[in-house]
Amino acid sequence: MKQQIKIKGTLQKYSTIIILLAMIMLSAILSSTFLTTTNIMNVLKQVSVVTILSFAQCMIIITGEIDLSLGTVAGMAGSYAVILYVATGSLVLSFGFGMILGALVGLINGLFIAYFKLPSFIVTLAMQSITFGAITLYTKGNNIYRIGDFKIFGQKELFGFLPITIFFIILMCIIMIILLRYTKFGRYLYAVGSNSESAVAAGIQVTKVKWVAFIISGIFAAIGGMVLMGRLNAGIPSEGQGYETDAIMATVVGGTSFSGGVGTATGTLVGSLIIGVLNNIMNLLGVEAYTQRIIKGFLIIIAVLFDVRSKQKKSTIKIMSK
Amino acid sequence: MKKLVSILLVLVLLVGTVVSCGKDKSTDKSSKEEAKEEVKEEAKEEAKEEVKEEAPEEKEKAEEESDASDDKKYKIALLPTDMAATFAAWLAQELEKEVEKYPNMEMTILDSKNVLSTQLANLENCVAQGYDYIILHPLEPDAEAEIVDQYVSEGTPIMMINQSDGGSELCSNVDADPIEQGAIVAEVAAEKIPENGKVVILMGPSGNSHSIGRREGFQQYLFDVRPDIEILDEQLADWEKSKGMNYMEDWMQAYPQIDAVISMNDAMALGALEAAKAAGKDENMTFYGVDGLADAVLSIKDGGLTATCVQNARKFAEIGFEIIDKVLKGEIEFEKTLIPGELIDSNNVDEWIEIHKENGQIK
Amino acid sequence: MEEKLKLVGISKSFPGVKALDNVDITLRKGTVHAIVGENGAGKSTLMKIISGLYRMDSGHIYLDGKEVTFSSPQESSHAGIAMIYQELNYFPDLSIEENLFMNRLPSSFGFMKWRELRKKCLELFEDKNINYHPENKVKDLSISDIQMLEILKAVAFNAEIIIMDEPTSSISNEDVEHLFNTIENLKKEGISILYISHKMDEIFKIADDITVLRDGKSVVTGLVSEFNSDSIITHMVGRSIENIYPKKKVAKQNIVLSVQNLSRSGIFENISFDVKAGEIVGFAGLIGAGRTEVARAVFGLDHYDSGSIFVEGNKAKITSPSSAIKNGIILLTEDRKREGIFSVRNVLENISISSLRVKKGAFINLKQERNEVIDIFNKLQVRAPSVDVNISTLSGGNQQKVILCRWLLVNAKVMIFDEPTRGIDVGAKFEIYNIMQKLAEMNKVAIVMISSELPELIGMCDKIYVMNRGNIAGCVEGNNMTQENIMRMAAGVGG
């Protein structure tokens, strides 16, 4: 009996990974090109920006908040970094500047959300408009072209085989795993999201924790934005829009709970890959455009349903055996 | 209970963000619009007839007034779709430049930020504030046509620019024909795509009239003329460069041979080009877009994009103000005209780089 | 008297555990039947079977002599069985009338008939002689008011059997009296009540019959008058607990916590007290007297206007729980669910969270953390399969022990326990008393204990401060620590 429960438990713990593996297997059967190195690299490249943003979204959702400004912050910070690069020619300077911009937006988000205790939904929604205005104010609606070597942030291959976008996914994933699993700050994030009143009573400085989380989120968004612009080989502010919803989707498919306190970096990566593989295989198979949307929507619902159901089952078993 | 609430919240949130960031703004506003229209419909019908009779008198009066005070300037309002959108911004710049040629006119810009209700509110305010002429760069011409007709019949002349007039009978209209735009590029493509070539197609957002029109142009002047060409796949990339890139990456895996990318705008074509370059496959492919903005022109110069068709904002501005001048002088009531699209390819690209340098798009 | 509800041979298994094993209970019409047992004894499973939430594996339920089966709560509700849960279900932002009639709102074609609703509600209030304003929001009512409404609702919809799950766990003494009066009236109307509780005094006050459950079996059943509290406890735990309160005298030491003239306008005034190392100091008083508020101020959870707090002679600047912990003060909060546990996280994280605050560096040494946690987890004998299970799967008593583990890892000099045994079963209570005693005796911790249960305060404390309306009304020590003395001071009579 116990053994059975244990196996079930493992199954449930890795439910999203199982969905991903199942999709990969099915895709490999359906399309002979799917499992080629180039195609796998493509999938990873395509999900790179949204994955980086999803890590930030995951962290924020763990604290029980939400960041709707991720996409536009990516567009803004990425475009400003491009502008600075075109003006100065320094990759380091422009990359650093982009991150500072992201951190600044996070600082402002955090000020209103953590300090003044406004709902993050509203604040970051407003920040969407502010950040997009802040970049178009400068560009006057024009895009930035001929960005020279800035494109290496999105197009270079490291060590001759590893696309830099994939390197960024791995790097950001490792950073997020360390942050969530091995630091005190990470533990506080979960505590705050699980029950912020308990967190205060346990001696956690909730305001500070949330504030820092939003700053990190802003930096992640900026990095994602710079990768995006590098990949596009242009500075296009509007391209960032909409990424926040994709990031929420990947995060939720990856098993992060909207009520806060639950979620992992690896889960988010898997969630993002599930959506990436789905898009890829439908294109490889030439599924018609409108049908693609319907299938995508349903599969996301099914993935979340599977995840939620398995978790519900797990908890009922435990309660009963009390 | 808490869980249920949070799930509901999530749904609201998802819907909310989709609506607020989506590029297609038509859905939630149209109902509001309809209601408004319904209320005004009857009044409009009556007003139309009355005004028709009185109109000449008013015109005369207006003329007298303008003659009487020479220093009195005509107030013109420009209501662009979205000043953050590249073409709309360029058009606004050209119109601003053009108005300087008419010392008796001054122009104010009221951005609609890609929100139809904002545009309608701006329109209403401008009419109420007694602007002499309104240039409307409509977000949804079909939805706005009726109200525009009503305002015109009540005495405020309006021009719908860079979009169809949506069936409005009384407004002036300066537009480019999307079918023609597609056709211009299609003719080049028909020459360059090899025998039995294989192509992929990138479309704009579902239901977008420009995307559909341009596609029709390609149909008539490329696919119908060259039945040997095979369309491998056709997807909606929503005008976005990154989506064009993603689709192209996948297509290059799925199909061993792709000879050309036919895109309904430049951004998506350039995204596909970026992907092909990264895979080292761009040399034997040709890329076709529409719009002719700075990025496309530079790409043609660099040997990337093959051809595009431009909607020349300067022409829009020149012809637009000619009409406005005539209307304000009372010579005509309205005029409808189409600006021909212009092909840009490697032959005339330098010319266009100069033009875009002048209008500040290339620095 | 006639048998209203009869349960025969009820059994129910869940994977890995037999929750109920051949349970028999007979509820007589117009009586109160108490069901007691430790947490996990099967009380709640039994209630859920009666109300139709769970299906039993075997057994029979007879209602008025006829066999019935309930496959949903709606069915049992139609048969006249109503549940008053320990945790009340209500919509805080809706009005009283809406809450009362939630499942039967008068409407036509989907539109609300507000006037009819108001009329029905007022009729009901008049009938039961109650003074509420139907339009008031429920969130503005006290918990006992809401409980009253639940009972009212049950009665209004013709319930003949009411099941009450620890109804007094979150209401004040005064309200308990009110509740008991209501129960007496219900009995007179012929309504039968299944009453779940841990509290002996309550059972002897209102119950007619009693059944003791242990490990899913009905151990003993009979008239309450045949039992005394010792015999009931013995049946519940299955062993006899001789000395409930393990308190021993500890040699007096230096003063660790000294609070001087602490005030917060409108809440408490000029509170001064000292706690020595190894001493347990109690705080008694009615609910709302300001005991919890003082504790929260000392811990930095609430602010205070004036006064000072000294720890080991040094003035401590306490602005938040974080700074209190750094000063060596911790508080076991009164409301475990709201301000204690992190319900979606595992036991390990729930234990270590506060000790992380006093450790240096940004990273966690996972191995060391686990060792420390498992050590204390074993020491306190928390009953959970491992430290990796979710804390919400533990019983109340074990959750409380987890929170205790958390605070023990902090190595505090001052520990404030606010209602440490509320809502937990007898066995766990006894263990918590033992832990407190050991802390005082071995670790020389200065302990402050707040409790509404006078016997436990008297049994555990060296001295007891009694609060009344935000002031310290007096302090009793040694032989003066009697329930009468304390109650008199708490009520503000003499002193």
Side-chain angles (χ1 to χ4, degrees):
Chain A
M1 198 56 149
K2 244 190 174 163
Q3 191 62 30
Q4 199 185 334
I5 291 173
K6 212 171 180 183
I7 292 166
K8 249 188 175 169
T10 349
L11 261 170
Q12 283 144 2
K13 193 173 173 192
Y14 300 109
S15 60
T16 41
I17 293 187
I18 292 165
I19 295 174
L20 178 63
L21 290 176
M23 282 178 58
I24 289 175
M25 277 180 348
L26 193 68
S27 303
I29 295 166
L30 290 173
S31 161
S32 54
T33 40
F34 179 78
L35 273 185
T36 58
T37 322
T38 337
N39 191 56
I40 297 296
M41 291 283 187
N42 277 348
V43 174
L44 289 167
K45 279 197 271 184
Q46 286 162 9
V47 300
S48 58
V49 178
V50 77
T51 308
I52 294 170
L53 265 51
S54 301
F55 288 140
Q57 192 67 275
C58 168
M59 177 184 64
I60 294 295
I61 292 179
I62 284 173
T63 68
E65 303 287 346
I66 192 148
D67 192 344
L68 298 178
S69 65
L70 283 172
T72 48
V73 173
M76 179 203 70
S79 300
Y80 268 122
V82 166
I83 290 166
L84 189 73
Y85 175 74
V86 171
T88 64
S90 165
L91 283 175
V92 178
L93 187 70
S94 51
F95 199 79
F97 179 67
M99 291 208 292
I100 290 170
L101 277 181
L104 197 69
V105 175
L107 191 80
I108 300 169
N109 273 336
L111 173 73
F112 290 108
I113 295 160
Y115 191 80
F116 289 115
K117 313 231 175 334
L118 299 185
S120 53
F121 185 88
I122 303 295
V123 172
T124 57
L125 198 62
M127 192 51 77
Q128 243 183 32
S129 170
I130 293 168
T131 44
F132 191 62
I135 180 66
T136 42
L137 179 72
Y138 184 86
T139 63
K140 302 267 179 273
N142 294 327
N143 298 332
I144 304 111
Y145 316 110
R146 296 223 159 131
I147 68 168
D149 276 346
F150 195 89
K151 73 174 179 200
I152 68 166
F153 288 126
Q155 297 194 354
K156 195 180 164 60
E157 289 206 336
L158 298 173
F159 322 116
F161 73 95
L162 181 68
I164 192 165
T165 45
I166 301 178
F167 166 77
F168 269 111
I169 295 184
I170 298 168
L171 178 72
M172 304 311 268
C173 188
I174 291 173
I175 291 176
M176 200 40 85
I177 288 174
I178 292 176
L179 193 76
L180 291 179
R181 264 192 69 81
Y182 297 96
T183 67
K184 297 204 285 192
F185 174 73
R187 211 48 87 64
Y188 298 157
L189 289 172
Y190 286 112
V192 167
S194 169
N195 183 343
S196 82
E197 283 181 80
S198 285
V200 173
I204 295 168
Q205 290 157 305
V206 173
T207 307
K208 206 164 125 188
V209 169
K210 280 194 181 173
W211 205 331
V212 173
F214 272 98
I215 293 173
I216 295 174
S217 169
I219 295 174
F220 268 61
I223 292 173
M226 290 186 281
V227 170
L228 175 65
M229 298 313 161
R231 192 167 141 74
L232 293 175
N233 192 13
I236 308 178
S238 62
E239 284 278 348
Q241 288 174 327
Y243 269 104
E244 63 280 343
T245 13
D246 291 348
I248 292 171
M249 209 116 89
T251 311
V252 174
V253 170
T256 304
S257 154
F258 246 110
S259 27
V262 178
T264 58
T266 41
T268 303
L269 178 65
V270 171
S272 185
L273 287 174
I274 287 177
I275 296 171
V277 167
L278 182 60
N279 283 334
N280 177 260
I281 187 64
M282 289 196 296
N283 288 338
L284 292 187
L285 296 177
V287 177
E288 195 246 349
Y290 299 104
T291 320
Q292 281 206 3
R293 299 190 174 198
I294 296 171
I295 294 176
K296 192 176 162 186
F298 272 116
L299 256 167
I300 286 164
I301 293 175
I302 289 166
V304 176
L305 184 74
F306 187 68
D307 190 44
V308 170
R309 290 284 296 196
S310 57
K311 276 179 188 146
Q312 275 172 351
K313 261 184 214 147
K314 187 164 64 178
S315 57
T316 24
I317 285 170
K318 273 183 188 157
I319 289 167
M320 290 165 184
S321 61
K322 177 174 76 179
Chain B
M1 189 65 209
K2 216 176 157 191
K3 262 208 177 133
L4 190 85
V5 169
S6 52
I7 289 168
L8 274 174
L9 246 172
V10 171
L11 278 176
V12 169
L13 179 162
L14 280 170
V15 170
T17 32
V18 167
V19 168
S20 66
C21 340
K23 310 229 147 114
D24 192 346
K25 300 278 165 182
S26 56
T27 41
D28 60 331
K29 285 115 200 169
S30 51
S31 59
K32 227 192 235 172
E33 239 270 321
E34 269 165 26
K36 223 186 211 170
E37 281 173 6
E38 255 170 10
V39 173
K40 287 182 178 167
E41 195 142 30
E42 284 179 43
K44 197 196 90 182
E45 291 293 333
E46 289 166 26
K48 225 182 194 172
E49 282 168 39
E50 282 173 35
V51 169
K52 260 183 190 161
E53 287 164 28
E54 289 170 26
E57 280 174 48
E58 267 184 22
K59 282 263 164 57
E60 277 167 39
K61 230 190 262 171
E63 251 173 83
E64 277 167 36
E65 270 172 38
S66 70
D67 287 341
S69 51
D70 263 353
D71 54 336
K72 194 225 163 203
K73 282 189 169 184
Y74 286 112
K75 278 160 65 190
I76 295 173
L78 170 62
L79 312 182
T81 50
D82 182 2
M83 288 297 278
T86 313
F87 184 81
W90 180 27
L91 180 61
Q93 282 168 19
E94 293 294 348
L95 285 165
E96 269 186 306
K97 245 186 260 169
E98 194 63 25
V99 75
E100 281 165 20
K101 294 185 188 158
Y102 298 85
N104 61 337
M105 297 183 203
E106 61 182 5
M107 191 172 79
T108 315
I109 300 180
L110 292 159
D111 191 8
S112 315
K113 298 182 196 72
N114 207 15
V115 177
L116 183 60
S117 58
T118 310
Q119 187 162 62
L120 289 170
N122 284 340
L123 187 60
E124 202 174 52
N125 289 339
C126 288
V127 171
Q129 285 169 24
Y131 274 90
D132 299 293
Y133 202 95
I134 295 171
I135 307 171
L136 178 67
H137 186 185
L139 280 160
E140 299 289 340
D142 293 332
E144 289 166 276
E146 263 188 79
I147 192 88
V148 162
D149 267 353
Q150 188 193 331
Y151 288 140
V152 175
S153 63
E154 284 167 10
T156 308
I158 295 174
M159 170 185 291
M160 305 244 269
I161 198 164
N162 184 234
Q163 277 280 12
S164 78
D165 61 13
S168 161
E169 288 166 7
L170 301 173
C171 77
S172 301
N173 182 238
V174 182
D175 190 17
D177 178 7
I179 299 180
E180 186 208 12
Q181 292 174 339
I184 286 173
V185 182
E187 281 174 349
V188 179
E191 273 172 40
K192 298 217 164 168
I193 295 174
E195 185 78 26
N196 296 322
K198 294 178 181 357
V199 302
V200 287
I201 300 177
L202 290 162
M203 297 284 290
S206 162
N208 181 287
S209 59
H210 276 176
S211 181
I212 293 167
R214 290 168 186 180
R215 178 71 180 75
E216 180 59 31
F218 278 105
Q219 188 63 41
Q220 289 174 12
Y221 290 85
L222 177 64
F223 302 122
D224 290 351
V225 182
R226 291 277 312 273
D228 57 305
I229 293 175
E230 184 191 348
I231 299 172
L232 296 170
D233 198 1
E234 181 161 359
Q235 292 288 347
L236 306 170
D238 302 339
W239 298 142
E240 282 178 36
K241 188 171 182 180
S242 53
K243 287 192 182 159
M245 198 166 174
N246 289 350
Y247 279 120
M248 191 60 184
E249 280 167 350
D250 291 344
W251 281 329
M252 285 188 296
Q253 291 307 305
Y255 310 109
Q257 185 202 341
I258 299 174
D259 295 300
V261 177
I262 310 283
S263 169
M264 299 309 126
N265 82 346
D266 290 335
M268 298 184 294
L270 291 172
L273 172 65
E274 247 0 284
K277 263 197 221 164
K281 291 184 177 171
D282 57 316
E283 288 301 320
N284 300 320
M285 294 183 193
T286 47
F287 299 85
Y288 305 90
V290 177
D291 274 350
L293 293 173
D295 47 355
V297 171
L298 289 173
S299 179
I300 292 175
K301 178 73 183 163
D302 296 342
L305 199 67
T306 312
T308 184
C309 170
V310 68
Q311 311 188 54
N312 192 343
R314 178 178 291 177
K315 288 251 168 70
F316 273 90
E318 281 169 8
I319 292 173
F321 268 99
E322 277 170 26
I323 295 173
I324 292 171
D325 192 45
K326 279 190 260 177
V327 171
L328 289 176
K329 279 182 181 149
E331 291 168 13
I332 52 167
E333 283 189 36
F334 62 84
E335 187 178 326
K336 293 181 193 292
T337 180
L338 284 177
I339 307 278
E342 295 172 43
L343 177 75
I344 309 179
D345 60 9
S346 51
N347 299 324
N348 65 348
V349 67
D350 290 327
E351 214 176 285
W352 276 95
I353 288 181
E354 281 312 307
I355 291 174
H356 283 316
K357 270 186 182 157
E358 260 174 61
N359 66 38
Q361 281 199 40
I362 299 175
K363 285 179 182 127
Chain C
M1 239 180 285
E2 76 181 275
E3 288 171 357
K4 182 70 190 166
L5 179 74
K6 189 169 181 177
L7 309 175
V8 182
I10 307 275
S11 295
K12 171 82 185 169
S13 294
F14 294 118
V17 64
K18 187 138 201 180
L20 288 176
D21 189 4
N22 218 8
V23 170
D24 299 331
I25 288 171
T26 306
L27 174 62
R28 296 178 293 142
K29 189 175 164 68
T31 64
V32 175
H33 192 128
I35 301 197
V36 299
E38 289 194 271
N39 279 354
K43 289 174 297 182
S44 46
T45 311
L46 185 66
M47 294 308 120
K48 283 177 180 158
I49 285 174
I50 299 174
S51 70
L53 262 175
Y54 291 167
R55 266 172 196 248
M56 56 197 165
D57 297 341
S58 61
H60 307 274
I61 300 178
Y62 300 95
L63 189 65
D64 295 323
K66 271 177 267 167
E67 179 156 12
V68 287
T69 47
F70 300 131
S71 53
S72 74
Q74 283 76 18
E75 286 185 29
S76 71
S77 157
H78 272 287
I81 299 177
M83 284 280 290
I84 312 283
Y85 290 96
Q86 191 174 358
E87 268 149 43
L88 300 165
N89 294 310
Y90 57 93
F91 304 96
D93 283 307
L94 296 185
S95 65
I96 292 175
E97 54 190 0
E98 285 168 290
N99 266 283
L100 269 177
F101 291 86
M102 187 39 88
N103 296 326
R104 338 175 175 223
L105 289 168
S107 64
S108 61
F109 303 110
F111 290 99
M112 281 287 300
K113 289 172 146 175
W114 289 106
R115 213 169 298 158
E116 195 182 322
L117 174 66
R118 177 65 49 85
K119 205 177 113 210
K120 272 187 169 180
C121 191
L122 286 173
E123 274 171 10
L124 181 66
F125 286 173
E126 202 172 330
D127 192 33
K128 300 288 164 196
N129 207 5
I130 295 175
N131 275 325
Y132 290 123
H133 292 286
E135 71 273 17
N136 280 0
K137 291 213 167 135
V138 168
K139 67 176 172 191
D140 299 329
L141 298 179
S142 71
I143 295 198
S144 73
D145 280 335
I146 295 166
Q147 200 174 49
M148 259 339 132
L149 283 177
E150 286 276 330
I151 296 170
L152 191 62
K153 193 158 117 187
V155 177
F157 300 126
N158 308 320
E160 288 166 359
I161 298 169
I162 300 179
I163 304 169
M164 296 185 184
D165 190 3
E166 301 197 30
T168 60
S169 63
S170 50
I171 60 176
S172 68
N173 290 342
E174 225 172 300
D175 294 325
V176 170
E177 281 307 315
H178 189 50
L179 174 71
F180 287 174
N181 287 336
T182 314
I183 291 176
E184 284 301 327
N185 288 336
L186 293 175
K187 273 166 76 172
K188 276 180 207 145
E189 292 177 31
I191 291 169
S192 317
I193 293 163
L194 269 181
Y195 190 94
I196 303 172
S197 179
H198 298 302
K199 295 184 185 165
M200 294 304 142
D201 51 339
E202 287 177 6
I203 291 162
F204 287 110
K205 220 171 204 168
I206 58 156
D208 304 294
D209 301 328
I210 184 167
T211 298
V212 180
L213 290 182
R214 186 174 77 229
D215 300 330
K217 298 186 181 77
S218 40
V219 185
V220 66
T221 183
L223 291 171
V224 168
S225 51
E226 294 164 2
F227 294 86
N228 63 35
S229 89
D230 280 346
S231 62
I232 293 176
I233 288 175
T234 309
H235 283 300
M236 275 166 68
V237 256
R239 60 183 188 275
S240 61
I241 296 174
E242 277 120 32
N243 189 2
I244 298 182
Y245 304 110
K247 179 66 188 164
K248 279 180 244 161
K249 277 277 171 200
V250 176
K252 293 278 169 74
Q253 308 246 335
N254 51 320
I255 293 175
V256 180
L257 174 71
S258 173
V259 172
Q260 285 172 14
N261 298 319
L262 207 65
S263 298
R264 180 178 174 192
S265 101
I267 311 288
F268 53 80
E269 248 178 293
N270 283 329
I271 305 294
S272 300
F273 63 92
D274 294 333
V275 189
K276 299 193 177 95
E279 191 179 34
I280 300 178
V281 169
F283 271 79
L286 302 173
I287 283 178
R291 301 168 300 170
T292 297
E293 287 76 6
V294 171
R296 292 172 68 86
V298 172
F299 185 57
L301 256 177
D302 291 347
H303 73 98
Y304 55 91
D305 300 328
S306 62
S308 20
I309 299 162
F310 296 87
V311 178
E312 291 182 328
N314 302 317
K315 187 162 178 179
K317 226 186 125 199
I318 291 168
T319 51
S320 66
S322 174
S323 56
I325 291 169
K326 294 223 160 106
N327 276 299
I329 303 175
I330 66 94
L331 167 69
L332 189 81
T333 48
E334 159 188 43
D335 191 336
R336 189 173 52 241
K337 260 204 182 130
R338 203 163 67 92
E339 292 183 319
I341 62 167
F342 301 106
S343 56
V344 292
R345 306 306 302 175
N346 65 21
V347 170
L348 180 120
E349 289 179 21
N350 267 285
I351 291 178
S352 69
I353 190 79
S354 293
S355 66
L356 296 176
R357 278 225 63 75
V358 293
K359 288 213 169 81
K360 289 210 166 64
F363 293 92
I364 304 173
N365 182 336
L366 289 182
K367 206 169 163 195
Q368 189 197 350
E369 179 196 29
R370 180 167 285 267
N371 288 338
E372 282 178 9
V373 166
I374 288 179
D375 193 40
I376 197 84
F377 176 85
N378 290 336
K379 228 181 238 168
L380 261 58
Q381 297 172 352
V382 183
R383 253 164 282 152
S386 81
V387 294
D388 297 309
V389 301
N390 203 311
I391 191 169
S392 58
T393 63
L394 271 55
S395 69
N398 281 304
Q399 288 183 2
Q400 189 72 312
K401 280 204 251 172
V402 166
I403 308 289
L404 262 173
C405 286
R406 175 193 296 172
W407 292 124
L408 292 182
L409 279 187
V410 175
N411 283 325
K413 300 179 199 113
V414 179
M415 301 181 87
I416 309 171
F417 295 98
D418 194 356
E419 304 282 4
T421 62
R422 168 181 291 176
I424 66 181
D425 54 62
V426 179
K429 262 185 195 176
F430 181 64
E431 289 177 61
I432 285 172
Y433 296 145
N434 264 324
I435 294 162
M436 288 174 69
Q437 171 57 27
K438 268 190 206 146
L439 281 171
E441 198 179 328
M442 321 282 281
N443 304 23
K444 302 292 176 226
V445 176
I447 295 177
V448 176
M449 180 179 184
I450 298 170
S451 175
S452 298
E453 289 184 39
L454 290 180
E456 88 175 9
L457 271 186
I458 294 166
M460 288 301 296
C461 297
D462 293 295
K463 62 177 172 187
I464 298 169
Y465 288 94
V466 184
M467 287 190 70
N468 175 22
R469 291 183 203 161
N471 290 291
I472 290 185
C475 175
V476 286
E477 256 180 289
N479 291 334
N480 288 331
M481 295 198 292
T482 62
Q483 298 214 20
E484 292 74 36
N485 279 342
I486 295 170
M487 278 316 291
R488 232 190 1 253
M489 287 181 188
V493 192

